[in-house]
Amino acid sequence: MIIPKSLEEIAELVEGPDKLVLFFTAGWCGDCRFIHPQMPEIEAENDSFVFVEVDRDKYMPLAQKWDIFGIPSFVVTQNGKELGRLVNKDRKTKDEINQFLASLG
């Protein structure tokens, strides 16, 4: 999983050709800590995607711009366009995330 060091790095990744999964999270978020240990398995099972961990608190302007109000949340982009999002305030399960990603092919 890529952990970006700047907004510019995130922007560069979003504009790229890869199917990018932006995983919005925060250290204080219990639901984020619940799913975080399963992320390596989710990545391995969805190897056509590139995963990027975005600290919502560190990148609050980006989270606000993209309407990320509940975390953990997942936004998939490719070539600067949003392909899909799993954004709500609910706890996500591994199966739910895998189904969401499978729906985006």
Side-chain angles (χ1 to χ4, degrees):
M1 184 161 328
I2 298 169
I3 299 176
K5 295 180 179 37
S6 68
L7 272 174
E8 292 77 19
E9 184 179 357
I10 295 170
E12 192 174 303
L13 290 165
V14 166
E15 293 298 322
D18 293 322
K19 281 188 182 175
L20 200 68
V21 178
L22 297 164
F23 167 42
F24 286 88
T25 186
W28 54 263
C29 168
D31 290 341
C32 301
R33 286 194 307 271
F34 169 79
I35 198 62
H36 202 276
Q38 298 175 63
M39 289 306 296
E41 290 177 31
I42 292 169
E43 284 184 83
E45 293 168 12
N46 297 280
D47 60 1
S48 63
F49 295 88
V50 174
F51 288 76
V52 179
E53 184 175 325
V54 180
D55 184 321
R56 196 225 33 191
D57 293 344
K58 184 174 180 182
Y59 298 107
M60 184 60 80
L62 177 65
Q64 290 172 333
K65 179 180 176 182
W66 286 16
D67 297 323
I68 307 296
F69 296 111
I71 53 174
S73 288
F74 298 84
V75 176
V76 179
T77 66
Q78 186 175 31
N79 296 316
K81 294 185 171 70
E82 183 177 315
L83 302 180
R85 60 176 40 222
L86 181 58
V87 176
N88 56 46
K89 62 180 175 43
D90 300 330
R91 176 175 279 188
K92 292 11 171 231
T93 65
K94 179 182 167 187
D95 287 342
E96 184 180 8
I97 296 164
N98 280 334
Q99 288 173 8
F100 163 68
L101 294 174
S103 75
L104 300 174

